[in-house]
């Protein structure tokens, strides 16, 4: 079976100490270990990356088809609201993407209400903390089974 590529965008390396009132106390390490456990129990291979750099994320997405990636699970973080480049990379790759957010972006500042990624994603999970990633993983597994 094809693998799932998980991409965490900018500042998500700071989870745990970053605005805990918004993002909770969960760390990226805890999220990753839960994702790995869930993937293992489903017999699915996952690869996890975090980057604070837009171009690096574009490169990761660009390499995905050649890398036998069947689906991308992405939290584009702040780039959700700004990055035409990441949106175009997803569209160009033709690898199905699931967009996830820890916080409910629609319940926050108005500038977070627009996702440039959503129109090229298969779907979006927003607002459930770490569970957003686990629900997103379920969706990504369904996509690679197709
Ligand atoms: C986020 C929401 C974004 O608006 C924000 O810039 C982030 C994290 C989330 O997971 O809730 O960095 O993607």
């Amino acid at each position: 079976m094809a693998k799932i590529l998980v991409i965490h965008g900018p500042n998500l390396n700071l989870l745990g100490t970053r605005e805990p009132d918004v993002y909770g106390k969960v760390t990226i390490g805890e999220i990753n270990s839960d994702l790995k456990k869930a993937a293992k129990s489903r017999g699915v291979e996952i690869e996890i990356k975090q980057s604070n750099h837009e171009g690096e994320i574009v490169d990761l997405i660009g390499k995905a088809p050649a890398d036998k990636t069947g689906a991308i699970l992405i939290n584009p973080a702040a780039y959700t609201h700004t990055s035409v480049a990441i949106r175009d990379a997803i569209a160009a790759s033709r690898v199905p993407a699931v967009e996830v957010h820890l916080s409910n972006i629609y319940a926050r500042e108005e500038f977070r209400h627009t996702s440039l990624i959503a129109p090229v994603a298969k779907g979006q999970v927003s607002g459930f903390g770490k569970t957003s990633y686990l629900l997103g993983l379920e969706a990504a597994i369904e996509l690679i089974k197709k």
Side-chain angles (χ1 to χ4, degrees):
M1 218 192 303
K3 74 174 174 193
I4 293 172
L5 173 64
V6 179
I7 303 175
H8 300 283
N11 299 309
L12 295 172
N13 54 314
L14 303 175
L15 287 176
T17 55
R18 175 191 182 200
E19 300 183 79
D21 44 318
V22 178
Y23 300 114
K25 285 189 180 154
V26 71
T27 66
I28 193 170
E30 285 160 7
I31 293 172
N32 291 347
S33 107
D34 279 15
L35 285 172
K36 282 181 200 159
K37 264 189 241 157
K40 196 172 177 192
S41 78
R42 304 294 302 272
V44 170
E45 191 189 335
I46 59 168
E47 187 184 346
I48 304 178
K49 304 276 186 191
Q50 189 275 326
S51 177
N52 293 327
H53 305 280
E54 186 175 22
E56 204 175 316
I57 295 171
V58 168
D59 285 344
L60 285 170
I61 296 165
K63 277 189 268 171
D67 221 15
K68 297 201 167 40
T69 300
I72 296 171
L73 179 64
I74 183 166
N75 183 347
Y79 290 139
T80 305
H81 319 295
T82 63
S83 183
V84 176
I86 292 174
R87 173 201 176 109
D88 285 355
I90 292 170
S93 78
R94 306 177 79 166
V95 176
V98 179
E99 177 186 350
V100 299
H101 299 282
L102 294 149
S103 63
N104 178 353
I105 58 173
Y106 303 100
R108 299 184 62 194
E109 303 95 321
E110 202 165 335
F111 71 87
R112 297 186 203 273
H113 297 181
T114 301
S115 167
L116 298 188
I117 309 304
V120 295
K122 282 283 175 185
Q124 186 197 67
V125 187
S126 174
F128 300 104
K130 182 176 72 176
T131 305
S132 290
Y133 280 90
L134 296 169
L135 292 169
L137 181 67
E138 280 304 314
I141 292 171
E142 284 303 310
L143 292 169
I144 62 170
K145 281 204 222 143
K146 277 189 184 158

